[in-house]
Amino acid sequence: MICVGIDVAKDKHDCFVLSSEGKILADVFTIPNNAEGFDNLLQTICRCVHPEEKIKVGLEATGHYSYNILGFLLDKGLATYVINPLHTNLYRKSLSLRKKKTDRVDARTIATMLMSDVDLKSYTDTAYHNEELKSLTRYRFDKVRERAKLKQSVSRLITILFPELEKLVPTLHMASVYAILSEFPSAKQIADAHLTHLKSLLNDASKGHYGRDMAVEVRDAARCSVGSVMPAKSLELQHTIRLIRELDAEIEDIEAAIRATMEEIQSPITTIPGIGVRMGAMILAEIGDFSRFDSPDKILAYAGMSPSTYQSGKLSLSGTYSHMEKRGSRYLRYALYNATKYVCLWDPTFAAYLAKKRAEGKHYNVAISHAAKKLVRLIYAMEKSRQPYNSAV
């Protein structure tokens, strides 16, 4: 067995090659982060290995810095292990009491970890391509959050410029409301607008839902409004609405790409009532390759949804009053928590389970966390069997 440790950085990578007998085959050498450097690494590995020997390559999970070299290694058919930097750090400390932290030391540490076979699982090609779905779902998450902040700004500005409008419509964030405010971003401007034009704006934006009656109601409210006349705020409102519309279009494009990817994956997760394509995609993207996890409990731990435990001597705070660890993937935790709420709403089995936990006196959030664990066990079983959801199971 040949073990290769790679410490990944932005512009260069430090590499170290070790045999399973502990012999140094290639002391720490540095390659640039480019095609020439990658080829140099491959040639060095080939010089060190005999035909009957296997190769294990390890590198730390360093986000986008490791993505290109990881793809190169997988394309070359090398068994590659992506290691949590926390595990590397703990392992390095276990080897020495001295606080040594350099790129050269890290490359050696990673190779030594591979040689010791500390329950590591190789990174699969499926997991690598799953990064595409993860990128899409996280990108959408950030865009939706950005849009939510802009909508809060719209609500704030309307409270200043035309506070009475909020009571006239189901929500301020409607196409018809945005259509009016984009052209007339204050109560005074709406009050001075021609009724026919207002009616046309409302009718077109609402697809015929609102007409002359609503136009009259809005204009009358504007004429009696206590809203301030502030050109700077009106300009800010127009620009904010424009940004929201741009984000709407971007989010729509991202969701189309997510749908296309999910159609290729053909996961049974979307057969669970309450889990749509977007939430299902986020769960799958964050979990990645299910073969990495020996049990559903490992996924819960990865999501940071396992109960925390505190024990010192006779004092133990595990059990009744334990809290979620809230470590791990916050995106997965968010997706599982929200998906569980919808599944409990739409599926009778989960609804009954939630009601049972509530009847036991558990807080709603605690009951949802129990249902989330049940949901993770279900998803794990379905992904392993590739069978659609059956509520009778």
Side-chain angles (χ1 to χ4, degrees), residues 56-121:
K56 292 169 71 174
V57 184
L59 48 89
E60 285 185 331
T62 53
H64 58 286
Y65 289 146
S66 61
Y67 195 75
N68 293 332
I69 191 167
L70 176 60
F72 174 82
L73 295 168
L74 290 174
D75 287 342
K76 297 303 178 181
L78 298 177
T80 308
Y81 299 75
V82 179
I83 305 170
N84 189 321
L86 177 62
H87 292 167
T88 308
N89 186 39
L90 292 173
Y91 188 79
R92 184 178 63 250
K93 289 179 179 178
S94 71
L95 297 178
S96 173
L97 294 176
R98 296 176 61 191
K99 292 185 177 180
K100 293 191 296 182
K101 170 70 174 79
T102 66
D103 295 340
R104 297 175 67 86
V105 170
D106 281 345
R108 289 172 177 266
T109 301
I110 293 168
T112 308
M113 285 183 72
L114 292 175
M115 184 180 67
S116 63
D117 194 24
V118 288
D119 195 28
L120 297 174
K121 292 187 177 180

Side-chain angles (χ1 to χ4, degrees), residues 88-385:
T88 308
N89 186 39
L90 292 173
Y91 188 79
R92 184 178 63 250
K93 289 179 179 178
S94 71
L95 297 178
S96 173
L97 294 176
R98 296 176 61 191
K99 292 185 177 180
K100 293 191 296 182
K101 170 70 174 79
T102 66
D103 295 340
R104 297 175 67 86
V105 170
D106 281 345
R108 289 172 177 266
T109 301
I110 293 168
T112 308
M113 285 183 72
L114 292 175
M115 184 180 67
S116 63
D117 194 24
V118 288
D119 195 28
L120 297 174
K121 292 187 177 180
S122 61
Y123 201 83
T124 64
D125 191 59
T126 301
Y128 178 76
H129 290 294
N130 184 72
E131 292 293 331
E132 181 80 4
L133 187 60
K134 184 188 289 187
S135 296
L136 286 170
T137 54
R138 289 191 176 187
Y139 187 43
R140 179 189 174 276
F141 181 88
D142 292 337
K143 288 292 182 182
V144 169
R145 189 170 55 177
E146 184 182 346
R147 183 177 61 182
K149 290 180 179 178
L150 290 174
K151 287 184 176 181
Q152 289 177 351
S153 295
V154 167
S155 300
R156 172 180 58 83
L157 292 166
I158 291 175
T159 301
I160 297 170
L161 299 167
F162 188 8
E164 295 81 5
L165 180 60
E166 189 171 6
K167 296 180 181 179
L168 302 178
V169 292
T171 173
L172 293 173
H173 309 292
M174 299 166 54
S176 50
V177 172
Y178 282 5
I180 292 177
L181 295 176
S182 293
E183 192 163 341
F184 306 109
S186 71
K188 185 178 184 307
Q189 288 175 285
I190 294 174
D192 296 338
H194 196 282
L195 183 61
T196 304
H197 188 48
L198 276 179
K199 172 194 169 185
S200 178
L201 277 176
L202 281 169
N203 186 69
D204 292 344
S206 66
K207 298 181 179 179
H209 186 72
Y210 293 125
R212 188 177 187 281
D213 292 343
M214 176 57 78
V216 170
E217 196 173 356
V218 170
R219 190 179 68 170
D220 288 347
R223 287 176 173 174
C224 303
S225 177
V226 297
S228 302
V229 178
M230 301 179 68
K233 296 295 184 187
S234 295
L235 183 64
E236 183 183 349
L237 179 59
Q238 286 178 309
H239 287 185
T240 304
I241 290 173
R242 187 186 307 162
L243 289 173
I244 289 173
R245 285 172 167 171
E246 290 174 1
L247 282 172
D248 284 339
E250 291 173 5
I251 291 170
E252 189 175 331
D253 289 343
I254 298 168
E255 289 177 351
I258 290 173
R259 285 193 297 272
T261 305
M262 287 293 284
E263 286 176 5
E264 292 179 8
I265 294 174
Q266 289 292 306
S267 169
I269 193 172
T270 52
T271 63
I272 302 174
I275 297 185
V277 171
R278 292 175 301 190
M279 197 60 70
M282 195 169 194
I283 293 171
L284 294 178
E286 293 302 321
I287 294 176
D289 188 355
F290 278 77
S291 65
R292 294 189 302 146
F293 302 96
D294 296 329
S295 68
D297 290 339
K298 296 287 182 68
I299 296 177
L300 287 168
Y302 176 68
M305 297 181 74
S306 297
S308 59
T309 302
Y310 179 87
Q311 185 171 354
S312 179
K314 294 183 179 180
L315 176 63
S316 175
L317 297 181
S318 62
T320 308
Y321 301 104
S322 58
H323 298 279
M324 263 188 213
E325 288 184 341
K326 291 190 177 178
R327 298 173 66 181
S329 172
R330 66 186 179 95
Y331 295 99
L332 179 56
R333 191 162 57 248
Y334 164 86
L336 287 173
Y337 185 80
N338 283 278
T340 302
K341 289 195 292 185
Y342 284 108
V343 172
C344 288
L345 184 65
W346 290 100
D347 183 72
T349 303
F350 276 85
Y353 184 78
L354 179 65
K356 175 177 174 288
K357 292 298 177 182
R358 293 286 282 144
E360 293 173 1
K362 289 180 168 51
H363 186 276
Y364 176 77
N365 288 341
V366 176
I368 284 290
S369 70
H370 281 277
K373 294 172 186 177
K374 180 180 174 69
L375 179 61
V376 168
R377 289 193 290 270
L378 172 65
I379 293 172
Y380 185 84
M382 288 174 60
E383 286 296 324
K384 288 289 186 180
S385 66

